[in-house]
Structure formats: C-alpha cells, structure tokens
C-alpha cells in the first residue's frame, strides 16, 4: 500500500524514472513524448544538468536566507536580467513558490496599491468566466472554472466575472469584427455596476490556458481592455503563469498585442519545472506607490536564493538557444500538422493556439459545436489512448457549460524535434480514432 495521497485518485500511475529533452521514461523502460511539458511547464526541456548544477551549487553555498534579512546576488542578478524583458516599465520582481502564490500576491498588491493611494474602497476583483488562476482560495475565487469552484463555492463569491475571449464560441453577431470591443464594453459595464470606486483590479490570462485550451483573443481585445481599465483607475493583472517565458512564441503573452499590464504573474516556464518558482511582478509606478506605505505579505519560501539561481539558469538557456523563437516556429508546425492529421475529423471542432500552446476542442458535431456529454469521458479516453501509445497530453473538461466540454492540449518543451512533433501528431490521430471510432 502506498502512503502517498495521490493526485490521481483511483488510477494506478507508472513510476517516473528519467527524462531528457521532450522525452520521459518510466521504471518499466516505457518511453513517452512529453507533449504537454507536464502541465505546460517545461520550456527548456528535461534533463538540463546545467540547471541542476546551478541549483546544487547554490544550495551548497547557501540554501536559505530569509527574505526580510537578506537579499542575494542570484536574486539581484535574476531580477535585473528579467526586468528589461518584462512588458512594463521599471519592473519589480517578487518571487514566490508557484502560480497560485503569484496570483495571491498580485491580488494583494493591487489592494495595497489602492490603499496607499487613499482609495480603500477599492476591493473588488474582476476576473473572467472559464478562467484559471490557481487553486488557493483567493486565486480560485478570481477563477471562473466551475468544476474546480463547485465544491468550495460556500467559501467563494467575492469576485465578479465577465465573459472570456473565446472566439470559437463567440456569441456576438459582428464576430469576428469588433469582439474585443464588445467584451471590453462588458468589463466597462461590470465596473460601472460594481461602482467604479470599488474595483481594485481586472485579472485575465493573455491567452486562455488551462480551462479554454489556448483560446486566442481577437487582436482588438487587449488594447480595448487596457483602455477600460485605465479609464476607471482599475489595475490590469496579466496572469502569465502559463503564457510567460516563451510559451506563446513571444517572451510574454502580452507582447503579442503590445499590452502593458500593471501587474504580471508568472510560474511554470519561469523555472521550467526545475524549482518551484512563481513571480509576481509590478511596474515601477505600482512599486513606488506600494513602497510608500508598505506591503503586508510574504511566504517562508519567497525570495528563495536557490529559486533565483534556477530561474537565472533557465533564462540563460532560453536566450542562448533562441528557444522563444523555437516555440513560435515549432508551434506553427505543430498546428499545421495537427490540422492536416485531424482537422477534418467530424469530432474535432477547433485547433487553436499561439506558439507551443495549442488546444484541440472536441465536439459532438462540427456544425452545431455541441459538446459531448461528460458521461462519455471523451477527453479521458483520448488521453489514455495517447498515453498507452507513448504520448502525454494535457486537457480540460466542463468548460462549455460548467459540466460538458472536451479538449486536449499540447505544450511540449521548446526543444521538441520535428520528428517528435510528427510522432506526437500521428499518435494523436490514432488516439482520437481509438477513442472516437
Ligand atoms: N494561473 C494560470 C494562468 C495557470 O495556468 C495556473 C496553473 O495552471 C495557475 C495560475 C496556478 O499555478 P500553480 O498550479 O503553480 O499554483
């Protein structure tokens, strides 16, 4: 009997042995293509001894020094190398242990900013339906992912939610023209309804990730959202936990539309899985304002010196090997190959994404775009069929109406080879055919 409280209750899991590049092996010697970099985490690829050595070297020198007692050379260097890459002026970096902690930090920062400005009435967080910002309670409340919220709903309910940018199921008559403006008008209305002097921030993923599977907004969306936030003095938080560090083929998802958020969160690709590292980042303007009156916050493991060493080493590899550009070109190839292989399948509704963040939405028929009943467990069957054939994928369910909705997601390491992409696509076609004969 295992004493591990498993993440996969009721499912026996293989035992992982080793990994390299875009491949993982289990202790039975089975090889898998890591088609999703775990949970869309691994950008630089597995098995980078350079990062392992940076982590070990730093842990050997000093593993822990409290963030209120010391700063460190790796942390100072990491923040100063990262700052010019971030889509904001004079960025300040607050390192934490993962995406949910980064989002909690960002929400508190927004509140601290308004308090410092004497606008204590600004408490309301506006998020989007079908979004995901993390599983801690503040981040979950900002999230609009119903299946994850449902059991904890009695503890939630302070955040307000507006429509996501979900082009495949866009309900607006003018679509695809002007969807961004209509969605921004909805945000405007939500702010007005809540009372403009009560709204602290709007949080959204630049490209919807874990719930809507790489749903890319129309080009007019982000500029219109930025304008609405500015008009109401509402801080814009870009949750780049999935999209950051090259995943969409640009350093940050915001770069795709040249939008400049006030606060940005990162995680996942920040350390590519080599260390639990998330970041909450704010503009110099937000920092100066908050610093004037203080920020009541912090975690035991924030500002980790080893985390900074890991992040720095990952950043160096991303730059040296041009991996952000690789994410862009390989993502184009992956979408093209997927479209050729399964694009005409009667149950494949949409293939979408940017860079190596790609989603395939499965439907009961393409004309009506109707979702399959959740009881069919289609996503689970496709994932199992792919895994049986040596391909690991990510997924989302329940996003169409809170219950139904099936999609599979690709987010492999940026070092995946063309041959591995072709193999992953071929296996996907087989898995879809096996699950949907
Ligand atoms: N924000 C976004 C956009 C995410 O995709 C995720 C995780 O999928 C999170 C936050 C939460 O990150 P973590 O699981 O590291 O807490």
């Amino acid at each position: 009997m295992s004493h591990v409280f498993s993440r996969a209750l009721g499912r026996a899991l293989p035992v992982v042995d080793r990994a390299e590049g875009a491949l993982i092996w289990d202790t039975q010697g089975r090889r898998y293509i890591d088609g999703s970099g775990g949970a869309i985490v691994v950008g630089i690829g597995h098995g980078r001894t350079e990062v392992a050595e940076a982590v070990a070297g730093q842990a050997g020198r000093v593993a822990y020094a409290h963030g209120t007692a010391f700063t460190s050379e790796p942390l100072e260097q990491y923040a100063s190398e990262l700052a010019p890459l971030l889509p904001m002026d004079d960025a300040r970096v607050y390192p934490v242990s993962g995406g949910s902690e980064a989002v909690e930090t960002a929400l508190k920062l927004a509140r601290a900013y308004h308090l410092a400005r004497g606008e204590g009435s600004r408490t309301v967080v506006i998020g989007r339906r079908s979004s995901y910002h993390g599983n801690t309670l503040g981040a979950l409340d900002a999230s609009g992912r119903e299946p994850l919220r449902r059991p904890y709903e009695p503890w939630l309910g302070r955040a307000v939610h507006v429509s996501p940018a979900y082009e495949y199921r866009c309900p607006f008559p003018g679509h695809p023209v002007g969807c961004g403006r209509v969605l921004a008008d909805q945000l405007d209305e939500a702010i007005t309804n809540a009372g403009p002097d009560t709204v602290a921030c709007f949080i959204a993923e630049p490209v919807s990730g874990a719930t809507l599977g790489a749903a890319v907004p129309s080009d007019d969306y982000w500029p219109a959202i930025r304008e609405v936030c500015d008009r109401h003095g509402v801080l814009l938080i870009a949750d780049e936990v999935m999209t950051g560090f090259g995943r969409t083929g640009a350093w940050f998802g915001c770069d795709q539309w040249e939008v400049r958020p006030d606060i940005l969160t990162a995680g996942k690709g920040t350390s590519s899985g080599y260390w639990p590292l998330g970041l909450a980042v704010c503009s110099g303007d937000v920092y100066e304002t908050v610093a004037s009156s203080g920020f009541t916050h912090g975690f035991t493991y924030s500002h980790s010196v080893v985390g900074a060493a890991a992040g720095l080493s990952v950043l160096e590899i991303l730059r040296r090997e041009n991996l952000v550009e690789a994410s862009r070109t390989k993502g184009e190839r992956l979408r093209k190959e997927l479209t050729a292989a399964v694009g005409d399948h009667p149950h494949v509704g949409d293939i979408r994404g940017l860079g190596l963040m790609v989603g395939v939405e499965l439907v009961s028929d393409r004309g009506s775009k109707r979702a399959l009943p959740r009881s069919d467990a289609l996503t689970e069957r496709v994932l199992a069929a792919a895994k049986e054939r040596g391909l690991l994928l990510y997924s989302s369910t329940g996003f169409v109406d809170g219950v139904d909705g099936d999609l599979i997601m690709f987010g492999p390491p940026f070092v995946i080879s063309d041959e591995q992409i072709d193999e992953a696509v071929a296996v996907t076609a087989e898995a879809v055919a096996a699950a949907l004969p």
Side-chain angles (χ1 to χ4, degrees):
M1 183 193 78
S2 168
H3 286 281
V4 174
F5 193 141
S6 173
R7 278 279 318 251
L9 294 176
R11 251 189 315 126
L13 297 174
V15 179
V16 71
D17 182 29
R18 67 195 168 89
E20 196 174 327
L23 300 175
I24 300 194
W25 287 264
D26 68 19
T27 50
Q28 303 290 311
R30 290 204 58 194
R31 163 195 178 272
Y32 306 84
I33 294 182
D34 191 1
S36 59
I40 326 288
V41 170
V42 184
I44 61 166
H46 295 283
R48 297 284 196 153
T49 49
E50 181 180 336
V51 185
E53 280 158 17
V55 165
Q58 185 54 55
R61 194 178 165 92
V62 51
Y64 187 83
H66 197 261
T68 60
F70 293 98
T71 187
S72 64
E73 283 169 4
L75 179 54
E76 294 296 333
Q77 190 185 343
Y78 182 47
S80 62
E81 291 200 17
L82 194 54
L85 299 173
L86 287 156
M88 48 183 46
D89 295 330
D90 306 320
R92 297 290 184 136
V93 179
Y94 195 111
V96 293
S97 299
S100 299
E101 277 192 5
V103 168
E104 299 289 343
T105 305
L107 298 176
K108 284 192 182 175
L109 251 177
R111 170 78 180 142
Y113 171 85
H114 294 300
L115 279 174
R117 287 165 49 92
E119 293 192 74
S121 60
R122 287 191 183 264
T123 59
V124 176
V125 172
I126 303 184
R128 301 188 301 185
R129 291 185 281 279
S130 301
S131 59
Y132 184 57
H133 301 293
N135 263 331
T136 50
L137 291 176
L140 189 60
D141 201 18
S143 306
R145 189 170 180 176
E146 287 182 50
L148 296 186
R149 292 177 59 97
R150 204 168 288 128
Y152 307 107
E153 206 59 68
W155 293 339
L156 308 173
R158 280 190 296 247
V160 170
H161 295 94
V162 295
S163 298
Y166 183 14
E167 291 290 285
Y168 178 60
R169 294 181 188 277
C170 179
F172 306 125
H175 172 83
V177 177
C179 307
R181 186 66 258 168
V182 180
L183 289 163
D185 287 346
Q186 272 193 16
L187 175 61
D188 196 351
E189 196 182 323
I191 294 171
T192 306
N193 289 345
D197 60 348
T198 71
V199 180
C201 58
F202 173 62
I203 180 167
E205 303 149 89
V207 174
S208 289
T211 309
L212 289 182
V216 182
S218 57
D219 284 341
D220 59 341
Y221 179 75
W222 277 107
I225 290 288
R226 178 71 267 188
E227 182 276 320
V228 169
C229 289
D230 283 343
R231 184 147 39 84
H232 292 289
V234 168
L235 292 185
L236 175 57
I237 303 176
D239 184 353
E240 297 245 17
V241 168
M242 189 176 284
T243 51
F245 289 86
R247 180 52 65 187
T248 70
W251 274 99
F252 292 92
C254 285
D255 298 337
Q256 301 280 1
W257 298 278
E258 292 175 9
V259 63
R260 296 178 79 74
D262 302 294
I263 300 175
L264 179 150
T265 53
K268 297 186 184 271
T270 311
S271 68
S272 251
Y274 286 83
W275 189 263
L277 180 64
L279 308 175
V281 182
C282 65
S283 66
D285 182 35
V286 170
Y287 173 79
E288 296 300 340
T289 305
V290 170
S292 67
S293 62
F295 186 34
T296 308
H297 187 57
F299 302 105
T300 297
Y301 286 109
S302 59
H303 299 75
S304 160
V305 56
V306 183
L312 192 56
S313 179
V314 167
L315 190 58
E316 226 166 86
I317 291 172
L318 283 170
R319 280 168 140 164
R320 191 177 66 224
E321 299 182 9
N322 281 327
L323 291 180
V324 177
E325 174 63 9
S327 168
R328 191 181 69 73
T329 54
K330 289 181 189 193
E332 275 167 16
R333 181 187 174 96
L334 174 59
R335 284 197 306 283
K336 189 164 146 256
E337 299 292 321
L338 276 171
T339 305
V342 296
D344 290 334
H345 192 288
H347 294 290
V348 171
D350 193 27
I351 299 173
R352 56 182 175 242
L354 271 178
L356 277 174
M357 180 170 169
V358 176
V360 178
E361 185 165 336
L362 304 166
V363 291
S364 87
D365 75 276
R366 292 152 66 109
S368 71
K369 301 185 181 178
R370 210 157 26 85
L372 284 139
R374 191 77 286 278
S375 52
D376 280 7
L378 175 61
T379 297
E380 292 81 346
R381 286 190 287 120
V382 174
L383 252 62
K387 191 171 181 185
E388 243 174 65
R389 291 163 175 77
L391 172 66
L392 304 173
L393 296 173
Y394 202 54
S395 66
S396 175
T397 58
F399 52 87
V400 172
D401 56 7
V403 177
D404 297 331
D406 290 276
L407 68 82
I408 56 172
M409 248 188 114
F410 297 78
F414 311 153
V415 294
I416 191 169
S417 67
D418 288 350
E419 294 70 35
Q420 287 164 344
I421 289 178
D422 294 349
E423 188 183 333
V425 169
V427 172
T428 303
E430 277 178 37
V432 169
L436 277 164

